[in-house]
Amino acid sequence: MIALGVNIDHVATIRQARKTFEPDPVWAAAAAQMGGADGITVHLREDRRHIQDRDLEVLRQTVTVKLNLECACCDEMLEIACRTKPEQVCLVPEHREEVTTEGGLDVRAYRDVVVDAIARLHDNDIAVSLFVDPDPAQIELSAELNADRVEIHTGMYAEASGENRKQQFARLQAAAKQVAETPMEFDAGHGLTYHNVVPVSQLFELKELNIGHSIVSRSIMVGMEKAVREMKKLVNDYSLDRNNAAQLPV
Ligand code: PXP
């Protein structure tokens, strides 16, 4: 079964639009778990545009599935992570002006910073995932640096159409095969929706998907519990076929 991590950042985005107390991402996390979420993911950004420090603290006390903290590879965030102790930290690049995470972490360029971060998190018994592009060099180096998992960036696939979409999907397939030859677990996420997730759920050895915006969007219409249940069903109904010859159309 593929695990579904539900990213609840955008519940906090709505709250921060008025800087009030509602909707509370802590409630959203509880509802997501009722719908079958296997993990709750939050991105504590340096500018605190959505998730706040208080959210992370209360989530740590209340979430009963895996808590996955996405954060930049900086001292402040690593200190918060080591104090809060989520089960997992996913290291992502972060730029202040971006609307959302725009690309994978450049493990090669930030090698020394990443090495230190992984060691620090491992010392605190926190599993480390690196959010990287489907790029062979980045995947190879992630394994070399002892990451526990990689989350492969699906954004380029999600945004592509026509022939480019097929090419972007082929990159994800190659990444999946490459990760399977390392000790790392293979996860994927970013830009995935109810419309484009099925081919991704068929990728070889996929362990976990992290999905946020699309689930939160649907939850406004149908409620969080139902939105999560529908995504889990979609992902896992088709994933049963992933080792069969027939790959559903991309
Ligand atoms: N995975 C990572 C590493 C991310 O940074 C994000 C966005 O915060 C997601 C998954 C979820 O992306 P989306 O909101 O597009 O589903």
Side-chain angles (χ1 to χ4, degrees):
M1 204 177 78
I2 294 169
L4 176 62
V6 178
N7 180 317
I8 53 171
D9 291 350
H10 295 306
V11 176
T13 301
I14 298 174
R15 179 191 60 191
Q16 294 312 111
R18 288 290 173 91
K19 299 213 165 22
T20 177
F21 61 92
E22 63 185 0
D24 192 329
V26 174
W27 287 36
Q33 288 172 93
M34 300 278 283
D38 302 288
I40 298 296
T41 296
V42 288
H43 185 171
L44 186 65
R45 295 188 69 105
E46 291 180 89
D47 63 8
R48 307 297 197 274
R49 71 175 68 157
H50 37 56
I51 293 295
Q52 306 295 304
D53 296 59
R54 165 269 178 198
D55 300 331
L56 180 62
E57 280 161 30
V58 182
L59 288 166
R60 176 59 299 179
Q61 291 165 29
T62 53
V63 166
T64 54
V65 292
K66 175 160 92 175
L67 182 61
N68 175 31
L69 172 65
E70 292 173 355
C71 64
C73 222
C74 65
D75 215 48
E76 183 199 9
M77 289 302 151
L78 293 172
E79 194 274 315
I80 291 172
C82 293
R83 183 161 33 84
T84 317
K85 296 200 189 302
E87 278 77 19
Q88 180 177 305
V89 163
C90 179
L91 296 173
V92 299
E94 201 175 292
H95 310 288
R96 243 156 232 272
E97 306 309 321
E98 69 193 359
V99 177
T100 180
T101 319
E102 276 168 5
L105 185 67
D106 189 343
V107 186
R108 205 160 16 172
Y110 294 97
R111 184 190 173 116
D112 293 347
V113 179
V114 175
V115 167
D116 286 349
I118 293 177
R120 214 164 141 184
L121 292 164
H122 279 170
D123 282 348
N124 283 275
D125 292 326
I126 300 169
V128 184
S129 171
L130 301 181
F131 181 59
V132 294
D133 289 336
D135 170 340
Q138 298 290 345
I139 294 168
E140 191 182 328
L141 192 53
S142 300
E144 205 180 302
L145 300 190
N146 208 16
D148 302 289
R149 0 184 20 118
V150 275
E151 181 175 324
I152 299 294
H153 190 341
T154 49
M156 282 79 76
Y157 154 79
E159 280 167 23
S161 56
E163 208 39 50
N164 186 25
R165 186 178 169 96
K166 289 193 181 125
Q167 284 164 13
Q168 293 300 336
F169 188 72
R171 291 181 71 201
L172 296 178
Q173 285 178 308
K177 287 213 174 76
Q178 187 184 351
V179 178
E181 285 160 14
T182 75
M184 301 186 297
E185 306 274 33
F186 170 57
D187 307 329
H190 211 285
L192 297 176
T193 69
Y194 295 82
H195 305 286
N196 65 20
V197 76
V198 166
V200 176
S201 72
Q202 295 194 306
L203 289 171
F204 183 62
E205 291 293 349
L206 179 70
K207 293 288 185 308
E208 183 177 300
L209 288 172
N210 277 299
I211 307 180
H213 188 268
S214 190
I215 293 177
V216 172
S217 301
R218 184 169 291 217
S219 78
I220 292 170
M221 303 299 167
V222 305
M224 180 60 85
E225 198 178 325
K226 185 161 187 245
V228 172
R229 212 178 288 290
E230 287 175 0
M231 183 59 87
K232 255 205 101 159
K233 182 163 166 33
L234 196 54
V235 166
N236 279 299
D237 275 3
Y238 290 101
S239 74
L240 297 178
D241 293 336
R242 71 190 149 140
N243 291 324
N244 292 348
Q247 161 79 50
L248 290 175
V250 177

